[in-house]
Structures are given as C-alpha cells and as structure tokens.
C-alpha cells in the first residue's frame, strides 16, 4: 500500500537492497521459463565453442574469438556455457539446457516475452516510486544456476555491479533480480552486506587496450570481505530483489537437486549521468539503451 512505500524506500537507501515478494505472478514466471526453453531449442552453438584446438596460437585465437563474442553481446541474445560441458568438437556432454550458464545481454530488446516483463507497467510504476526520471535499460540476463550432472557449479564471488557497469557519478545503476523459482540457501540465493553501498567501488572491469591478450582487465582489487557480515536473502518464486549498483553481494554454489532460474536486468538513471567509455558493454547504433518508460 502507498502508506508503506516511504518505509520501503528508506529501507532500500539504508541497506542497498530491497525484497519485494510476489512482485510477479507464477504465470509471468512460467512464461519466461517456457520462452527460454524455446530459445534454447533453436540455439546454435557459437563457432568459437566448437574449436578443436591443438596449438597455443590456435588456443589464443579461440580465446580472442570468445572474447569478441562476449564484448559484442550487448545488443544481441547470446549463450554462455558452464566449463567442461562441451567436448573438443563442441558437442554437448550433458543435455544442452543443463550446459548453459547464462543468456545475455539484450533479451529485453529482442524477445517479446522478456521485453514485456522489463517494460511492464508495474516495473515502470516502481521506477517512478524510486524517483527515476530518465531510466534506460542497459542489459539483461537469464541465469540458470543449475547443478549440472557430475560438474561442480561455481559460486559467484562477492562483487558490486558498478564494477562492470560504471557511471559518473556513481549511484545511477539499479539491478532488478527476479526469482523465476524459489531461491533458497540450498540452491544459491543471493547474500548481501547491508549498507555496503555507501563507500564507492573497489574494482573496475574495463575494456583492455587493443592488442592485449584478453578483452577486459581489472583495475583495483576486491577486498577480502568479512564473511560474517553477509546475510542470505531467500526469496520465493515471483519475488523481485532491487540491487543498488554499489552494494556488495554474492551467491553460493547450488548444492541442491533443483535449479534456480532468474531473469535480471539493469537500469541506469540517464539524467545528468555519463556512461563510462571503458565499460565492456556499450550502446550501439542498432541498440541505444531503451527507455524503461516506453
């Protein structure tokens, strides 16, 4: 209700995150999951994943190929795989729907189901309640967090989203994280350090100079965080977690039998904000960052 809203915003500004349970309906969650199955069914494995390499030089070319695949994914729908799921010829060792780590980074622009969710009236209304004047959508991802057969799925180490999506000034990036099934401590829910969004960022991922061996590099380093400061944020299917761009968060590995599907997108307040030219992700003539309010 409207009366509770100021309290929620106070909580968000204090903690750097806010849980809104049952923000999306079960039907909306299922429509996203069904749509992703259709997308996977039509997926072609990227050529760089099929390279059977034998020499060091070929290996470097293969890495460069995959880095270009990543760097140019901001305005496309592309597939990123768990390690060890493909043989040397690029054939799947396990079912392909269990081999994908994430799909990104422009589902919000190119897929009708995800576009409708991203620009839904309730998301727009929430943006207005948060005081966003010119919000634009910068990226989106579908994250699977499956426990693949016989493979150890890695945890997501403590980080700040603004490390990867840098703005001047800071404080202009907001993550919308939607649980498409229950996110529990067993299957890898998010953990946060409350209030950790107030002291800037420690590290930046920037595009490497041309000719470098990798496509991106890190400036600065992530400090060792006190693990006891993290609190878990389990959320049920349809729940939305708002994530401040500088709040420190992580997820543990999925130790359960069940997956933890998530759709997430990031919004930037474009008013009086400049997007860093060093960010790996850049708007393109084909896809300028679309307004959230359209």
């Amino acid at each position: 209700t409207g009366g509770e809203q100021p309290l929620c915003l106070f909580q968000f500004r204090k903690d750097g995150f806010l849980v809104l349970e049952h923000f999306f309906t079960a039907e909306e969650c299922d429509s996203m999951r069904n749509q992703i199955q259709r997308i996977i069914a039509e997926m072609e494995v990227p050529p760089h994943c099929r390279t059977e390499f034998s020499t060091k030089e070929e290996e470097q070319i293969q890495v460069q190929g995959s880095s270009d695949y990543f760097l140019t994914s901001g305005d496309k729908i592309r597939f990123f795989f768990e390690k060890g799921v493909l043989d040397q010829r690029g054939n799947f060792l396990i079912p392909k729907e269990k081999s994908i780590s994430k799909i990104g980074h422009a589902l919000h622009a190119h897929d009708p189901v995800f576009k409708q969710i991203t620009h839904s009236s309730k998301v727009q209304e929430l943006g207005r309640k948060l005081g966003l004047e010119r919000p634009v959508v910068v990226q989106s991802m579908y994250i699977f967090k499956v426990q693949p057969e016989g493979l150890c799925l890695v945890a997501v180490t403590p980080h700040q989203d603004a490390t990867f999506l840098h703005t001047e000034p800071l404080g202009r990036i907001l993550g919308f994280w939607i649980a498409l099934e229950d996110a529990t401590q067993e299957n890898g829910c998010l953990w946060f350090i409350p209030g950790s969004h107030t002291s800037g960022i420690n590290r930046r991922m920037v595009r490497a100079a041309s000719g470098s061996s990798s496509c991106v590099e890190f400036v600065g380093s992530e400090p060792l965080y006190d693990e006891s400061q993290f609190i878990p944020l389990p959320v049920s299917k349809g729940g939305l977690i708002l994530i401040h761009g500088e709040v420190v968060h992580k997820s543990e590995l999925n130790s359960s039998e069940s997956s933890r599907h998530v759709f997430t997108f990031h919004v930037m307040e474009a008013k009086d904000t400049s997007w860093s030219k060093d960010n790996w992700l850049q708007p393109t003539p084909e896809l300028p960052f679309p307004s959230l309010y359209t």
Side-chain angles (χ1 to χ4, degrees):
T1 62
E4 292 168 28
Q5 202 57 37
L7 178 69
C8 291
L9 291 182
F10 167 77
Q11 202 66 41
F12 176 67
R13 295 192 177 111
K14 177 171 161 282
D15 292 337
F17 57 86
L18 183 65
V19 180
L20 300 170
E21 286 280 12
H22 308 297
F23 191 83
F24 289 95
T25 65
E27 293 73 29
E28 286 170 319
C29 293
D30 294 342
S31 74
M32 288 185 266
R33 292 197 63 186
N34 293 337
Q35 186 69 352
I36 220 72
Q37 291 309 319
R38 287 193 279 273
I39 289 170
I40 292 170
E42 295 166 14
M43 167 183 76
E44 294 292 327
V45 177
H48 75 262
C49 291
R50 294 190 176 277
T51 313
E52 187 177 357
F53 37 77
S54 51
T55 71
K56 275 280 178 248
E57 191 178 6
E58 279 174 9
E59 200 167 327
Q60 283 163 351
I61 292 166
Q62 192 254 358
V63 169
Q64 201 53 51
S66 66
S67 70
D68 284 345
Y69 184 79
F70 169 72
L71 274 187
T72 57
S73 66
D75 60 354
K76 301 176 187 70
I77 296 176
R78 288 194 163 168
F79 304 91
F80 301 91
F81 299 92
E82 297 289 353
K83 285 188 171 62
V85 298
L86 298 164
D87 67 15
Q88 288 190 314
R89 290 183 183 83
N91 298 315
F92 289 103
L93 298 168
I94 62 172
K96 65 180 180 179
E97 64 275 6
K98 292 193 172 184
S99 68
I100 303 174
S101 164
K102 68 177 187 180
I103 297 176
H105 288 90
L107 285 159
H108 63 280
H110 296 313
D111 181 88
V113 172
F114 292 99
K115 187 175 193 173
Q116 196 282 319
I117 291 287
T118 304
H119 296 276
S120 60
S121 56
K122 52 189 165 188
V123 168
Q124 295 188 11
E125 187 189 338
L126 180 57
R128 291 193 170 96
K129 281 182 178 166
L130 289 162
L132 301 176
E133 291 185 52
R134 282 182 45 213
V136 295
V137 186
V138 298
Q139 69 157 10
S140 57
M141 289 183 287
Y142 192 104
I143 304 169
F144 292 82
K145 197 85 171 180
V146 180
Q147 182 65 297
E149 288 134 29
L151 293 166
C152 177
L153 194 137
V154 293
V156 177
T157 55
H159 68 282
Q160 300 165 291
D161 291 343
T163 284
F164 310 96
L165 309 170
H166 190 267
T167 60
E168 295 279 345
L170 286 172
R172 300 301 170 90
I173 290 291
L174 179 64
F176 290 71
W177 192 95
I178 306 159
L180 304 186
E181 43 196 342
D182 294 349
T184 65
Q185 286 197 47
E186 291 68 46
N187 73 0
C189 72
L190 295 180
W191 295 65
F192 289 84
I193 299 181
S196 57
H197 59 301
T198 56
S199 45
I201 56 168
N202 300 293
R203 190 171 64 130
R204 285 190 61 191
M205 186 175 90
V206 299
R207 285 186 174 230
S210 58
S212 302
S213 57
S214 70
C215 61
V216 293
E217 59 194 15
F218 285 96
V219 179
S221 59
E222 210 64 59
L224 275 175
Y225 295 105
D226 176 358
E227 289 295 322
S228 70
Q229 291 191 314
F230 283 94
I231 63 162
L233 239 60
V235 61
S236 48
K237 176 177 176 172
L240 169 67
I241 302 181
L242 288 177
I243 304 174
H244 188 287
E246 284 90 77
V247 74
V248 178
H249 58 290
K250 66 173 184 174
S251 68
E252 300 295 345
L253 55 81
N254 182 352
S255 58
S256 76
E257 296 297 307
S258 55
S259 55
R260 190 222 66 185
H261 287 214
V262 163
F263 177 56
T264 179
F265 59 93
H266 283 89
V267 164
M268 173 179 72
E269 169 60 272
K271 184 175 186 249
D272 303 327
T273 307
S274 61
W275 179 257
S276 174
K277 293 273 182 275
D278 296 332
N279 285 337
W280 75 267
L281 174 80
Q282 294 296 328
T284 62
E286 296 75 31
L287 184 63
F289 295 150
S291 166
L292 184 68
Y293 296 153
T294 51

